[in-house]
Amino acid sequence: KVLEDNGLGDVNLQQVENENRLIVRLKKSEEKASNLGEQITVIFDKNLSEKGFVMESQEAIGSSISEVLRNKALQAIAISLIGVILYLAMRFDLSFGVAAAIATFHDVLVVLGICWLLNIEITLLIVTALLTLAGYSLNDSVVVFDRIRENMKKAEQSSSKKKPLSDTINISINEVISRTIVTSLTTALVLFALFFLGGTVIHDFSFALLAGLLVGTYSSIFVSSPVLSLWKKE
């Protein structure tokens, strides 16, 4: 309230657990940020003198550092997608790898879009959430693909009339859908606990994972499998 009354309403306060420390985060242009530390010290001394606040340190992250972090984040996501394609190409075949990579890219893109719509700042924690989500989505896709491959082999070995691939994919999805829902609900319980009880520091991180969990669950069924079906069509 004191900071709001002094024109610093867009501040993010974080109390350090078990220590008498307070982290004050502000997003300002580099020109305005130069003397913010002194400003906040003066505000606290004037309005909360009995608390005895002392500024221990001050850090600023400029646009050039932000650009480096952004580029590194994009590199990490690109490398992970290439890894997905190579891994699944070796385990299944190239079509499975491409389908899973498209679904993973879709998941990352949708969660980024949700963060943009809700004006959530893309920090390194959000990037961590995106990479975690990519791994989760890939795992879900592999479970579906594994069942598709099993049923494709059964269909090839069967003496009866050969089923269309779309039917095999549909049967496979229905066979693993209960597992997918149970796994997602179990993970969601943990993420809800993080979101509501984890504090402001990991609030955006847990929200990004929650959104990604929902997106990742449907993408393995409604994105990767149809891509595989389209790829396999002659």
Side-chain angles (χ1 to χ4, degrees):
K1 189 182 183 306
V2 165
L3 290 168
E4 274 181 14
D5 293 343
N6 287 273
L8 294 172
D10 56 345
V11 69
N12 183 5
L13 298 175
Q14 177 195 336
Q15 186 179 347
V16 181
E17 293 292 329
N18 304 319
E19 293 183 36
N20 293 321
R21 283 195 174 92
L22 183 70
I23 298 171
V24 182
R25 287 196 178 91
L26 279 156
K27 191 175 180 182
K28 298 283 182 187
S29 63
E30 290 179 50
E31 302 80 45
K32 291 181 181 177
S34 56
N35 62 342
L36 274 173
E38 291 78 6
Q39 258 183 269
I40 292 168
T41 304
V42 169
I43 291 167
F44 282 173
D45 286 346
K46 185 179 174 183
N47 299 278
L48 298 166
S49 54
E50 72 281 1
K51 302 291 184 187
F53 278 111
V54 176
M55 186 170 73
E56 289 188 345
S57 64
Q58 181 179 344
E59 292 176 17
I61 299 178
S63 57
S64 57
I65 295 174
S66 299
E67 195 175 331
V68 170
L69 294 177
R70 183 198 65 197
N71 293 341
K72 292 288 182 187
L74 290 171
Q75 280 177 22
I77 292 168
I79 290 166
S80 69
L81 288 175
I82 292 166
V84 166
I85 294 172
L86 292 174
Y87 164 69
L88 288 177
M90 287 187 291
R91 181 167 172 177
F92 301 99
D93 66 43
L94 185 61
S95 59
F96 285 88
V98 171
I102 288 171
T104 305
F105 181 70
H106 157 274
D107 298 346
V108 171
L109 206 60
V110 170
V111 175
L112 270 175
I114 291 169
C115 290
W116 180 80
L117 285 171
L118 298 176
N119 204 25
I120 295 171
E121 188 180 356
I122 308 299
T123 62
L124 285 179
L125 262 182
I126 298 294
V127 174
T128 307
L130 291 174
L131 290 171
T132 307
L133 149 70
Y136 184 90
S137 173
L138 170 63
N139 176 64
D140 222 27
S141 296
V142 166
V143 170
V144 176
F145 284 170
D146 227 15
R147 187 54 59 92
I148 291 169
R149 183 177 62 171
E150 282 176 20
N151 287 334
M152 281 170 71
K153 283 182 180 175
K154 285 178 186 174
E156 285 170 10
Q157 291 165 3
S158 174
S159 56
S160 59
K161 189 183 175 184
K162 192 178 179 184
K163 287 180 186 174
L165 180 64
S166 56
D167 286 357
T168 304
I169 289 173
N170 193 44
I171 291 163
S172 305
I173 289 169
N174 280 300
E175 284 175 355
V176 298
I177 199 164
S178 58
R179 175 260 174 211
T180 301
I181 291 168
V182 169
T183 305
S184 297
L185 284 175
T186 309
T187 313
L189 288 173
V190 179
L191 293 175
F192 272 118
L194 275 177
F195 183 73
F196 290 109
L197 307 172
T200 55
V201 187
I202 58 167
H203 189 267
D204 290 347
F205 170 76
S206 51
F207 173 78
L209 280 178
L210 263 173
L213 177 68
L214 180 67
V215 175
T217 302
Y218 87 71
S219 75
S220 58
I221 296 168
F222 297 113
V223 178
S224 58
S225 301
V227 169
L228 182 66
S229 179
L230 289 168
W231 180 288
K232 293 286 185 185
K233 276 187 179 177
E234 290 181 10

